[in-house]
Amino acid sequence: GENVEQHPSTLSVQEGDSAVIKCTYSDSASNYFPWYKQELGKRPQLIIDIRSNVGEKKDQRIAVTLNKTAKHFSLHITETQPEDSAVYFCAASHTGANSKLTFGKGITLSVRP
Amino acid sequence: GAVVSQHPSRVICKSGTSVKIECRSLDFQATTMFWYRQFPKKSLMLMATSNEGSKATYEQGVEKDKFLINHASLTLSTLTVTSAHPEDSSFYICSAPTPHGGLDNEQFFGPGTRLTVL
């Protein structure tokens, strides 16, 4: 089955700096890679996703890059703000609406004011 | 966007009792729903895939007789934790795939249910 690794487990940055979070996956058949932000006690919120036919996707301050050959994908947050502080999870799945997601362990991002 | 609800949001029960958690897709139909468990400061772990009209598919290590899943209709899946014990205390979250179908994989998560077993 799929194994998604996420490192490091914590990341602290100064407000305004960029943050990069990396994930690797094992299943070469995976082709959907979402990133979720989860605040304490809340549901995960999709912030951006990428499919294997695309190498990069950007949405305002957030971008995701995918390297299928190396089986890794990264989340980039620019101009970080204190409200970006949360736990971020990467995940991977196959194609299809009923495909199950495999999550990474998550990273706690702290943005220092 | 698609909305998924869960009920209850919080439940406290005594050891040995059973607890039922409901997951509803409010404005779309879902033939498949997913149930996750999340322990404090841990990731979401898939417990099972709930299938409307057929048996649920459980992940390895998840006891199907302890965690009963019933996909009663195209908008409702229930998870019953039978004979709950303190180690079952966790955050249970359901999700449903996008109603758009096709290659789209986005999942919509419910708000979660915090279960505390005394």
Side-chain angles (χ1 to χ4, degrees):
Chain A
E2 175 66 280
N3 182 41
V4 178
E5 298 282 344
Q6 191 170 353
H7 298 283
S9 59
T10 61
L11 178 62
S12 180
V13 298
Q14 192 70 41
E15 182 178 0
D17 287 350
S18 295
V20 181
I21 304 169
K22 298 180 180 179
C23 283
T24 61
Y25 62 99
S26 62
D27 186 352
S28 57
S30 290
N31 49 24
Y32 173 67
F33 307 94
W35 284 90
Y36 292 90
K37 176 183 180 182
Q38 188 180 32
E39 296 176 350
L40 191 63
K42 301 286 182 64
R43 77 185 86 192
Q45 288 183 297
L46 179 70
I47 55 172
I48 197 166
D49 57 14
I50 192 167
R51 290 173 177 79
S52 59
N53 58 344
V54 176
E56 183 174 357
K57 183 177 177 181
K58 189 173 180 180
D59 182 4
Q60 298 183 333
R61 297 188 297 111
I62 295 172
V64 56
T65 57
L66 170 65
N67 183 327
K68 280 222 79 178
T69 303
K71 295 202 194 78
H72 67 70
F73 55 113
S74 300
L75 176 71
H76 304 253
I77 306 174
T78 59
E79 301 172 32
T80 54
Q81 301 165 3
E83 50 265 37
D84 293 329
S85 298
V87 179
Y88 291 81
F89 293 98
C90 60
S93 77
H94 294 178
T95 298
N98 295 335
S99 296
K100 58 185 182 181
L101 287 170
T102 301
F103 283 83
K105 291 186 176 180
I107 179 173
T108 301
L109 174 65
S110 300
V111 180
R112 305 186 301 272
Chain B
V3 179
V4 175
S5 70
Q6 272 183 253
H7 179 79
S9 57
R10 246 174 225 283
V11 58
I12 300 173
C13 69
K14 293 182 179 179
S15 185
T17 60
S18 294
V19 175
K20 180 186 284 188
I21 303 170
E22 293 185 349
C23 177
R24 293 182 185 272
S25 54
L26 295 186
D27 50 1
F28 66 104
Q29 294 182 335
T31 57
T32 299
M33 291 184 179
F34 300 98
W35 285 98
Y36 297 85
R37 180 167 53 180
Q38 186 177 30
F39 292 109
K41 298 188 179 181
K42 298 293 185 182
S43 186
L44 285 80
M45 296 301 295
L46 181 66
M47 299 175 66
T49 302
S50 175
N51 304 299
E52 191 272 335
S54 64
K55 292 182 179 180
T57 306
Y58 290 82
E59 295 300 299
Q60 192 173 9
V62 178
E63 299 174 59
K64 62 179 182 180
D65 295 330
K66 179 169 182 63
F67 299 99
L68 302 179
I69 291 173
N70 182 27
H71 203 125
S73 72
L74 288 171
T75 59
L76 173 64
S77 175
T78 60
L79 168 68
T80 301
V81 183
T82 63
S83 187
H85 290 284
E87 57 266 31
D88 298 322
S89 298
S90 188
F91 193 48
Y92 291 85
I93 310 176
C94 69
S95 72
T98 175
H100 304 301
L103 299 179
D104 202 345
N105 289 70
E106 184 175 355
Q107 289 191 22
F108 296 90
F109 285 86
T113 297
R114 174 75 57 193
L115 171 63
T116 303
V117 184
L118 302 177

